[in-house]
Amino acid sequence: QKEVEQNSGPLSVPEGAIASLNCTYSDRVSQSFFWYRQYSGKSPELIMSIYSNGDKEDGRFTAQLNKASQYVSLLIRDSQPSDSATYLCAVNTYTGGFKTIFGAGTRLFVKA
Amino acid sequence: EPEVTQTPSHQVTQMGQEVILRCVPISNHLYFYWYRQILGQKVEFLVSFYNNEISEKSEIFDDQFSVERPDGSNFTLKIRSTKLEDSAMYFCASSEALMSTDTQYFGPGTRLTVL
């Protein structure tokens, strides 16, 4: 069973701080990794995608991938109250066809 | 900006009834997906669809489920005989290509309530 694991949280950070979200995955042949943000009752919204080892930055967001450790993370700099949401880690894996496996998500609260 | 749309936003049905959930993917996208999310749980992959056939499906997608692209724009998920445990948010998504790196764009979801 291919799994994606995340700490469910909640993770609470003060406004302006860095929020660090982590994810591990079990399938070594996974090729692409995504971070989605989901507000309560809404659909997942893509924040970042990463495919190669190392860091990828987009505005206040940085995704980090370490395939050897099967680990992907998301850093949110200068956290804002509007960043309060559940962050979903998703992994594309191949099982004869591609499918996307989601983690259960980490709830983030940014305190004003 | 193009987006995936889904109808209805909320569907209430009696156990044992058939339901059809509808999606209009982004117009130039070729790959379509259905996911479900039971309240408080993770988003779960159901099925992917390309060129009028199922590309991949999960263990959840049993004989009670079927998908169809009845015309050039709609993509539907049918549940033949709903059970209480089918109550969930159902999300449709589409992508331009079925490469492992391709981004899937999600619709707003249909909340299905089975009574």
Side-chain angles (χ1 to χ4, degrees), chain B residues 11-28:
Chain B
Q11 174 89 47
V12 181
T13 190
Q14 296 290 324
M15 190 169 56
Q17 295 297 303
E18 174 183 287
V19 295
I20 298 176
L21 310 182
R22 290 183 168 79
C23 168
V24 179
I26 293 173
S27 62
N28 64 330

Side-chain angles (χ1 to χ4, degrees), chain A residues 28-94:
Chain A
R28 285 198 168 275
V29 302
S30 295
Q31 299 182 22
S32 48
F33 310 87
F34 304 86
W35 283 101
Y36 288 85
R37 177 173 61 198
Q38 187 176 32
Y39 294 110
S40 181
K42 302 295 185 183
S43 61
E45 173 193 5
L46 182 71
I47 299 174
M48 295 277 293
S49 57
I50 186 165
Y51 315 120
S52 305
N53 280 327
D55 295 359
K56 179 181 178 183
E57 187 174 318
D58 183 0
R60 296 187 294 113
F61 300 96
T62 299
Q64 299 172 317
L65 174 62
N66 184 326
K67 290 187 178 181
S69 302
Q70 295 175 235
Y71 174 89
V72 58
S73 66
L74 179 70
L75 298 178
I76 307 174
R77 289 181 298 282
D78 187 23
S79 296
Q80 302 297 309
S82 58
D83 294 326
S84 298
T86 298
Y87 288 80
L88 309 178
C89 175
V91 175
N92 274 6
T93 190
Y94 186 77

Side-chain angles (χ1 to χ4, degrees), chain A residues 1 3-4 31-32 34 36 38 41-44 46 49 51 88 92 95-100 102-104, chain B residues 35 37 41-45 48 55-59 89 91 98-104 106-109 111:
Chain A
Q1 181 78 0
E3 298 288 343
V4 177
Q31 299 182 22
S32 48
F34 304 86
Y36 288 85
Q38 187 176 32
K42 302 295 185 183
S43 61
L46 182 71
S49 57
Y51 315 120
L88 309 178
N92 274 6
T95 56
F98 285 109
K99 64 175 162 183
T100 303
F102 282 81
Chain B
Y35 294 85
Q37 187 175 32
Q41 298 188 24
K42 66 173 69 174
V43 175
E44 298 175 291
F45 171 84
S48 59
S55 176
E56 182 71 15
K57 62 181 181 178
S58 72
E59 315 76 53
M89 280 288 282
F91 295 111
L98 192 60
M99 295 172 61
S100 67
T101 56
D102 208 54
T103 298
Q104 296 175 40
F106 280 75
R111 180 170 298 284

